Amino acid sequence: MSKIQEARIILRELGLPDAQQNEISGYTLLALCNIKENDKWSKSFRQSHGVSKGIMTFISENYKKEYAPNTRETIRRQVLHQFVQAGIADYNPDIPDLPVNSPLAHYAISEIALETIKSFRTRNWKKALENFTFKIGVLKEKYSKNRNMSRVPLTLSDGRVLMLSPGKHNEVQAAVVEEFASRFAQGSSLLYLGDTENKVLYVDRELLERIGIPISEHSKLPDIVIYEEAKNWLYLIEAVTSHGPMTPTRIVELETFLKNCIAGKIYISAFPDFFEFKKHTTEIAWDTEVWIMEFPEHMIHFNGDRFIGPRW
């Protein structure tokens, strides 16, 4: 029996659904276990792999199975995501607080799955399977707790706490709401905030609709939207950690999208530090604002003749 056939049997007996017992799932398991065609399963070992340069390269080099580059997302979404949920793989075990969309994202066979798989085709296999089934619920709970411990807490003005997924981008977003707004938009309300895991983590649909912002097209909004009702000012803020400041093109897009909005619009690019800001200075549109998390008491005005405020 070939290794790919054995891998698919292992996945079936570990309790994976039919959709994750297919060929691509089997090859992914072989890559995570670092098992070649003539290796014994007892030789499996744990090593972190990225998707493209790790798992797909291993499959290509050792099984001569070539997958197109766009298969990366298929492996990530339809195989590895389910492996993690089932306790078979660990996500970012070397750097648990990596942001969700980090290019350094990696996977490794879990310790309990490795221990179980190494006993395949031995007299201990059934006992190992029972042990896996017994322990996996505990491991899932532990994984969930560890993931939550890495999250970024964001306290809203009414005392509610949102838990943002880990990463620098969301650290900037939390600082915008807690630090920027308290200094430069006092008395304002959070209308919208996205998240790298959840694009609509927070939304005040009623107020957005009242001031003329379409509530069914969140993908067009910037990362954060804050509204200061006393002045009728709308703060549209992009949190910038690698790309995406308020460029002239982005301003035109937002002006078109917000054509029916009755509030005065203020466009802001928020950066974690001065180093990141300097990388994007040539992209930032005039008549916008810059706020840097590293220096929360200050702002940089790209407005020329005036300080912060909308240009009606």
Side-chain angles (χ1 to χ4, degrees):
M1 187 179 294
S2 68
K3 277 295 183 294
I4 184 60
Q5 290 174 310
E6 292 180 344
R8 295 174 71 175
I9 290 172
I10 290 172
L11 291 172
R12 184 188 69 217
E13 299 203 12
L14 287 175
L16 271 292
D18 291 346
Q20 279 71 49
Q21 295 176 27
N22 56 14
E23 183 183 79
I24 197 168
S25 298
Y27 279 128
T28 300
L29 181 68
L30 288 164
L32 289 175
C33 292
N34 297 284
I35 290 294
K36 301 174 185 177
E37 185 61 48
N38 295 320
D39 291 339
K40 294 182 178 179
W41 286 99
S42 60
K43 299 296 183 183
S44 298
F45 63 92
R46 176 179 164 98
Q47 177 185 0
S48 293
H49 292 283
V51 180
S52 298
K53 294 183 180 180
I55 292 169
M56 293 176 70
T57 298
F58 183 93
I59 295 169
S60 172
E61 291 179 351
N62 295 287
Y63 290 94
K64 309 305 177 189
K65 182 70 178 179
E66 300 292 340
Y67 288 108
N70 60 6
T71 309
R72 176 188 181 281
E73 282 303 295
T74 300
I75 293 174
R76 188 177 68 83
R77 293 183 179 183
Q78 299 180 22
V79 180
L80 289 165
H81 181 72
Q82 288 76 11
F83 279 15
V84 170
Q85 287 184 324
I88 291 172
D90 292 331
Y91 179 52
N92 292 336
D94 301 338
I95 316 174
D97 59 350
L98 271 178
V100 172
N101 54 359
S102 170
L104 300 177
H106 55 278
Y107 299 82
I109 194 75
S110 69
E111 295 286 0
I112 181 64
L114 178 64
E115 178 185 341
T116 305
I117 289 168
K118 288 174 75 170
S119 69
F120 182 66
R121 291 204 171 282
T122 73
R123 69 174 77 178
N124 297 321
W125 174 237
K126 286 189 176 181
K127 184 177 180 180
L129 278 177
E130 291 174 0
N131 185 54
F132 177 85
T133 303
F134 174 77
K135 288 185 176 180
I136 197 59
V138 177
L139 288 174
K140 281 183 181 177
E141 183 180 350
K142 181 179 178 182
Y143 176 86
S144 178
K145 286 181 178 178
N146 287 341
R147 187 69 178 166
N148 285 333
M149 286 176 64
S150 300
R151 290 182 177 271
V152 179
L154 166 58
T155 304
L156 303 181
S157 57
D158 61 5
R160 281 180 294 170
V161 178
L162 302 179
M163 299 303 292
L164 282 64
S165 56
K168 180 62 70 175
H169 184 268
N170 282 339
E171 290 175 17
V172 176
Q173 292 205 121
V176 166
V177 176
E178 296 177 340
E179 301 288 340
F180 167 82
S182 65
R183 289 177 169 86
F184 300 103
Q186 293 181 2
S188 61
S189 302
L190 179 66
L191 298 191
Y192 171 83
L193 185 139
D195 179 79
T196 47
E197 281 185 356
N198 183 354
K199 296 300 182 185
V200 190
L201 182 65
Y202 179 88
V203 59
D204 186 332
R205 295 174 181 273
E206 182 180 347
L207 192 46
L208 282 169
E209 190 171 38
R210 178 147 56 90
I211 63 175
I213 299 178
I215 60 175
S216 60
E217 299 181 75
H218 302 302
S219 61
K220 294 183 180 179
L221 288 171
D223 293 319
I224 304 166
V225 179
I226 294 172
Y227 180 56
E228 192 174 351
E229 190 165 13
K231 297 178 179 177
N232 195 27
W233 286 6
L234 188 71
Y235 298 81
L236 300 148
I237 306 162
E238 295 284 19
V240 188
T241 51
S242 59
H243 65 278
M246 284 295 182
T247 63
T249 300
R250 183 67 170 126
I251 299 297
V252 171
E253 291 174 349
L254 286 169
E255 285 288 335
T256 302
F257 175 62
L258 299 170
K259 61 181 184 289
N260 296 320
C261 178
I262 62 173
K265 296 176 283 296
I266 301 168
Y267 296 99
I268 302 169
S269 301
F271 298 89
D273 49 48
F274 205 76
F275 176 78
E276 191 68 40
F277 161 64
K278 288 196 295 184
K279 293 194 315 191
H280 297 274
T281 51
T282 59
E283 304 171 59
I284 299 169
W286 292 111
D287 300 330
T288 67
E289 312 286 341
V290 168
W291 182 78
I292 300 174
M293 186 173 74
E294 189 177 26
F295 308 105
E297 299 89 358
H298 304 281
M299 291 194 69
I300 299 173
H301 304 277
F302 276 60
N303 273 356
D305 63 338
R306 65 181 301 164
F307 292 111
I308 191 168
R311 288 178 174 266
W312 298 89

